């Protein structure tokens, strides 16, 4: 559930919204950082404040949605790179495939229309891998 904007006691109070900070947050999301990780940094707003900004500033909400879409694509690309780099001789093949699945699940949550539901993917099969 999204945080609700705080009701202000004073109708003329100033918002803490800073377009430069909002753009920095979106750029970091596009680079693959989580919102929680970004907001832990000194001088940046809390996660709740960012959610309040999303409700109060439609232009930021559009930019944020775009950044989340790029983040989902990045995660899916990383998963594909991991899968293609693995060979049957890799000792940690099972662990690597778990990592690929985790990235794909996260991508599906960030961009459900593009990456769908993890229940629809079917079983992951490694061609040329060791027989179980």
């Amino acid at each position: 559930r999204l945080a609700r904007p705080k009701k202000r006691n004073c109708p003329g109070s100033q918002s803490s919204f800073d377009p430069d900070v909002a753009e920095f947050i979106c750029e970091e999301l596009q680079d693959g950082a989580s919102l929680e990780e970004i907001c832990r940094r000194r001088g940046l707003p809390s996660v709740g404040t960012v959610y309040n900004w999303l409700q109060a500033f439609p232009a930021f909400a559009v930019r944020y949605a775009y950044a989340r879409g790029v983040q989902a694509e990045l995660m899916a690309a990383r998963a594909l790179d991991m899968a293609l780099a693995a060979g049957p001789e890799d000792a940690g093949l099972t662990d690597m495939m778990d990592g690929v699945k985790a990235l794909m699940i996260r991508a599906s949550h960030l961009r459900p229309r593009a990456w769908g539901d993890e229940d629809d993917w079917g079983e992951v099969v490694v061609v040329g891998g060791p027989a179980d």
Side-chain angles (χ1 to χ4, degrees):
R1 218 162 34 164
L2 295 176
R4 294 184 184 174
K6 294 179 183 175
K7 293 187 179 182
R8 307 215 182 266
N9 295 334
C10 169
S13 63
Q14 295 291 321
S15 168
S16 64
F17 182 76
D18 181 345
D20 293 331
V21 171
E23 182 62 26
F24 175 78
I25 290 170
C26 291
E27 288 173 1
E28 290 295 303
L29 286 171
Q30 286 180 202
D31 289 339
S34 71
L35 183 59
E36 293 80 14
E37 178 185 343
I38 296 166
C39 291
R40 279 193 296 255
R41 297 179 193 169
R42 172 175 260 143
L44 293 178
S46 69
V47 172
T49 297
V50 173
Y51 285 135
N52 288 336
W53 289 357
L54 290 170
Q55 289 184 345
F57 300 96
F60 173 57
V62 169
R63 176 67 177 96
Y64 182 90
Y66 175 78
R68 284 297 196 179
V70 171
Q71 185 182 49
E73 295 293 327
L74 176 66
M75 287 183 179
R78 285 181 183 164
L80 178 61
D81 289 344
M82 287 173 65
L84 292 175
E89 67 282 352
D90 290 331
L93 194 57
T94 303
D95 292 337
M96 189 275 310
M97 293 310 293
D98 288 342
V100 168
K101 186 172 182 179
L103 285 170
M104 293 303 296
I105 289 170
R106 182 69 178 135
S108 74
H109 291 179
L110 290 171
R111 193 120 188 237
R113 286 187 186 170
W115 296 104
D117 185 12
E118 63 262 24
D119 294 335
D120 297 335
W121 298 338
E123 187 175 343
V124 175
V125 178
V126 179
V127 178
D132 289 314

